[in-house]
Amino acid sequence: MLHDKCIIHIVAALAIAALAGCQPDTPIESYPCPTNGTSLTYASFGQDFMARHCQTCHGQSTKDRKGAPASFDFATPEAIQQHKARIFARAAADNVTMPPGPDDPPEAERMKLAEWLACGAP
Ligand code: HEC
């Protein structure tokens, strides 16, 4: 049996985890592509966004990946399309766990990323 004191500690730890942002990610399915589609493309938005905010750690030629997994490299439109659900879940709309900081993209750019990914990252 657990002591009451232990139970209080467990409840406190869970509360701290919730406050620290352990809420679930917003999935790509919850953000539909606008009916008129998107004017955003890899050339006009995606390539530059990923280069500035992600490829500093996720790039293939990056020397110091800072722990970014080798299989997550977003250098081509195909790679981004393949990983679009995870990219969305970490960085688009109200998902802010990537990049790990401190240079976060502005909210307007996260909303653009959401639209572009939801439309299939054309
Ligand atoms: C400062 C380095 C750094 C930057 C910049 C960065 N990442 Fe990461 N990324 C990591 C590390 C470290 C991990 C492994 C730990 C983790 O998953 O949190 C990771 C893992 C990931 C994963 C794989 C895990 C999963 O949740 O599926 C995805 C997807 C990802 N990052 C997306 C992005 C996107 C999108 C950007 C740009 C908006 C970005 N990252 C920018 C360091 C970085």
Side-chain angles (χ1 to χ4, degrees):
M1 263 308 283
L2 286 173
H3 287 285
D4 285 356
K5 222 172 146 187
C6 297
I7 291 167
I8 289 166
H9 281 151
I10 291 166
V11 170
L14 288 173
I16 289 165
L19 288 172
C22 291
Q23 73 267 63
D25 301 324
T26 301
I28 192 167
E29 293 78 21
S30 69
Y31 194 97
C33 179
T35 38
N36 296 334
T38 182
S39 59
L40 302 167
T41 64
Y42 180 73
S44 74
F45 171 74
Q47 181 173 23
D48 179 61
F49 179 93
M50 300 307 283
R52 276 188 295 125
H53 298 297
C54 314
Q55 292 297 85
T56 45
C57 296
H58 286 273
Q60 206 57 257
S61 56
T62 305
K63 282 201 195 78
D64 181 9
R65 299 179 69 87
K66 302 196 165 63
S71 54
F72 286 90
D73 173 12
F74 312 123
T76 63
E78 293 75 23
I80 294 168
Q81 285 159 9
Q82 184 195 340
H83 293 298
K84 66 176 196 250
R86 288 311 309 161
I87 295 172
F88 192 103
R90 300 297 300 263
D94 61 352
N95 295 314
V96 296
T97 58
M98 284 288 150
D103 298 315
D104 267 38
E107 198 191 321
E109 282 205 47
R110 291 199 188 272
M111 295 316 293
K112 275 191 179 181
L113 179 68
E115 177 179 312
W116 181 60
L117 293 173
C119 295

